[in-house]
Amino acid sequence: MFDYNEYLSSKLQQLKEAGSYRYFLEVNKSAQHFPHFYYGNDEGVQRSAINWCSNDYLCMSTHEDVIAKLSFTSHRSGAGSGGTRNISGTTIHHRELEQTLASWHEKESALLFAGAYLANVTALQTIGRHIPELVFISDEGNHASMIEGIRASGNNKIIFRHNDLAHLEEVLQSLPLESPKLVAFESIYSITGTVAPLKEIIALAKKYNALTYVDEVHAVGLYGDTGAGMLRQLGLQNEVDVINGTLSKAIGVFGGYIAASRTIVDFIRSYGSGFIFTTSIPPAICSAANKSIQVIQEDKSIRRDFHTNVQQLRAALQQAGIEFRINDSHITSVPVAGAQHCREVALQLLHGQGVYLQPINYPTVPKGEECLRIIITAKHQPKHINHLAHSLQKVLHGGDTTDWKKFPAVSVAD
C-alpha cells in the first residue's frame, strides 16, 4: 500500500537537507515603530529587530491617512465583500479603484484581483486558452506567476534569454508574421533588480505583430512623475497592451490588477475563471488602496526619500566592502552562495545583530546563486543603514563562530 504520509514527509526532509525548507518568522509588526518589529525567540523572550525584507517600500501600510480610510470604510461597508464580483462583490469602492488604476496607467480599463500572482495566472491563462494558436515568448527571468499562467494555458511557449534583445528578435523572426504571439516580461526583476530594455522590447514586439504583457509589480508606486512605474517614467504606458501591478508592495495594502484596453479587460472579466469564481477583495481594502495611490501621486517627497535611501544604502555597503549586484533599480542583492550558508548568515544577522534579512535560495533562484535581498524603505534612517552595513561586515567578513543552527530559520523569499 502506498504510504502517503511517509512519501510527503520524505519530500519535506529533502527540502530540509538541501537548506530550501521554508521557515517563517512570526513578526509582530508595529505601524508606529516600523521598520522596528518584535518577535519571540526559542525561549519565549520578546526581541526587537530591523526589517530589511518588507516590500512595503513607501511604508504606505503605516500611513495615517491610509489606515484611517481603511477603518472608515470598514465601519461603513463591513469587513468583507460577501461574494464574487458577479453576485454582490462589486461595490462602488471596487469601481472607483479600477477607475483610478486605469487613469494612473493611461489605460481604458483595469480589473482587480486578490493578488498580482492571481492576476498574472488568470490573464495569461485566459488569453492563451482562448487563442489556441497564440505562442508565448517569455523572458527566462519571469516570475513564477507568469510561468504558471503560461504553463496552464497549454499553448506553445518559447523562452528567450534574460533581457537579450538579439535572442528575442531571433525568436520573433522564426514565427510567421501573421501568427498570434505574446511577449511576456517584467519591467524590474525582483531578485536581481535588473531593468528590462522596455523601449526596445516593445519596438520588437510591434515590428513582429506581437502583444506585450508587462509585470510592473516592483515598479508600481516608485517610478515616473506620478509613481505609476517604469513604463510611465519612459513614456511607454500607451505602447504596452497589458500591465500587471500590485496593491501589496509600494501601495502598502493588498491585491493585484491588470490595466489594458476596454476589450482586453472585458475579455478577462468574462472568461477568466480565476476572476469569475474568486470572492472580491473587501471594499475597505479598495478604499485604502485608492487613498494610498492618491497620496503617492500628490506627495512626491515620499518617493524622493525612498530613492535617496537606496543610494545611501549602496554607498554604505561599498564603504563596508560588501559585495552587491549593481543594477539600475532599487533592489539590492548580496550574494551568499550555498543554501545552508545563506540560511546560517541570515540567522546570525537576526539573532546576533537584530537585522532581519531573507535567505533567497532555490527555487526562487538557481542553485549557487543564493543571496540576501535587501529592501530599504522610506522610513529607514541613516542609523539603520549604518548598522546594517556594520552587521553585514561583521557576519560576512568577521568569522562569527556562534552555533546558530539551534535557532529557527527566517523565512525564504516569496
Side-chain angles (χ1 to χ4, degrees):
M1 297 291 288
F2 189 85
D3 191 324
Y4 299 99
N5 191 65
E6 182 180 347
Y7 177 80
L8 297 177
S9 295
S10 69
K11 299 297 286 187
L12 290 171
Q13 185 60 33
Q14 289 175 20
L15 287 178
K16 292 176 181 178
E17 292 172 357
S20 298
Y21 184 75
R22 296 179 182 242
Y23 298 87
F24 301 123
L25 180 70
E26 293 184 4
V27 172
N28 183 4
K29 180 181 176 181
S30 170
Q32 290 73 37
H33 300 150
F34 190 86
H36 287 268
F37 70 91
Y38 307 92
Y39 71 99
N41 64 11
D42 277 358
E43 290 74 38
V45 177
Q46 291 295 305
R47 303 190 65 184
S48 175
I50 303 296
N51 194 336
W52 288 99
C53 49
S54 169
N55 289 322
D56 189 8
Y57 294 122
L58 302 179
C59 305
M60 297 307 294
S61 75
T62 68
H63 195 286
E64 289 292 341
D65 291 348
V66 175
I67 295 172
K69 194 69 173 179
L70 178 71
S71 177
F72 177 82
T73 308
S74 292
H75 281 285
R76 288 293 182 91
S77 299
S81 69
T84 63
R85 289 290 297 273
N86 53 303
I87 54 176
S88 66
T90 298
T91 70
I92 58 171
H93 304 291
H94 292 81
R95 181 55 56 208
E96 287 173 356
L97 178 55
E98 286 176 339
Q99 289 172 346
T100 294
L101 290 167
S103 175
W104 203 26
H105 290 291
E106 300 177 46
K107 294 298 182 186
E108 292 179 339
S109 193
L111 193 64
L112 289 169
F113 290 83
Y117 188 106
L118 182 59
N120 270 338
V121 170
T122 302
L124 291 167
Q125 172 185 286
T126 303
I127 291 171
R129 283 184 177 177
H130 292 275
I131 310 178
E133 303 83 11
L134 182 137
V135 176
F136 285 103
I137 303 167
S138 177
D139 188 291
E140 68 176 347
N142 279 345
H143 190 265
S145 59
M146 302 177 79
I147 295 170
E148 183 60 31
I150 292 170
R151 180 188 294 124
S153 73
N155 292 55
N156 290 332
K157 66 177 182 296
I158 302 174
I159 297 171
F160 67 95
R161 291 186 293 270
H162 180 52
N163 283 350
D164 190 327
L165 294 170
H167 190 211
L168 173 60
E169 182 157 28
E170 180 183 323
V171 169
L172 288 165
Q173 284 178 332
S174 71
L175 300 170
L177 184 65
E178 65 276 8
S179 68
K181 54 191 81 74
L182 183 151
V183 181
F185 58 104
E186 301 178 39
S187 61
I188 295 177
Y189 289 81
S190 61
I191 303 299
T192 61
T194 53
V195 179
L198 293 163
K199 184 176 181 179
E200 291 80 1
I201 291 178
I202 293 167
L204 282 174
K206 288 184 178 296
K207 179 179 178 181
Y208 293 96
N209 190 36
L211 291 172
T212 45
Y213 187 105
V214 184
D215 183 314
E216 281 255 71
V217 160
H218 284 275
V220 166
L222 303 179
Y223 296 88
D225 59 331
T226 66
M230 288 297 297
L231 291 168
R232 170 73 186 196
Q233 181 163 297
L234 298 174
L236 296 171
Q237 292 195 128
N238 289 324
E239 304 301 314
V240 171
D241 294 296
V242 184
I243 297 171
N244 169 272
T246 183
L247 306 171
S248 307
K249 292 181 171 54
I251 296 171
V253 190
F254 179 77
Y257 62 90
I258 60 167
S261 68
R262 188 171 290 105
T263 299
I264 289 176
V265 168
D266 196 23
F267 179 79
I268 303 300
R269 184 190 71 86
S270 301
Y271 284 96
S273 59
F275 172 80
I276 295 169
F277 299 105
T278 301
T279 298
S280 67
I281 58 180
I285 293 293
C286 296
S287 184
N290 205 11
K291 182 63 179 180
S292 178
I293 294 169
Q294 291 172 9
V295 173
I296 290 170
Q297 288 177 312
E298 295 168 3
D299 188 356
K300 296 183 180 181
S301 67
I302 301 175
R303 282 180 280 124
R304 184 170 60 247
D305 290 346
F306 169 76
H307 289 291
T308 296
N309 277 354
V310 172
Q311 298 308 313
Q312 291 181 348
L313 166 67
R314 293 180 175 180
L317 293 178
Q318 287 179 327
Q319 188 172 7
I322 305 300
E323 177 189 357
F324 61 91
R325 294 168 179 155
I326 304 296
N327 58 56
D328 293 325
S329 74
H330 58 281
I331 294 170
T332 306
S333 296
V334 175
V336 184
Q340 292 287 5
H341 178 50
C342 191
R343 171 178 175 243
E344 289 169 7
V345 167
L347 287 172
Q348 292 177 39
L349 288 167
L350 176 63
H351 297 293
Q353 306 298 321
V355 167
Y356 180 36
L357 277 170
Q358 298 168 313
I360 312 292
N361 53 34
Y362 180 83
T364 306
V365 295
K367 293 178 181 179
E369 295 184 17
E370 296 81 8
C371 65
L372 299 173
R373 180 179 61 178
I374 303 173
I375 301 296
I376 196 164
T377 73
K379 282 194 175 181
H380 281 91
Q381 300 173 25
K383 63 181 180 180
H384 300 140
I385 295 172
N386 293 334
H387 176 251
L388 172 66
H390 173 76
S391 298
L392 284 168
Q393 185 182 57
K394 181 177 181 179
V395 172
L396 293 175
H397 301 159
D400 192 326
T401 59
T402 305
D403 181 12
W404 296 100
K405 293 182 181 179
K406 63 182 180 180
F407 294 99
V410 296
S411 68
V412 182
D414 60 17

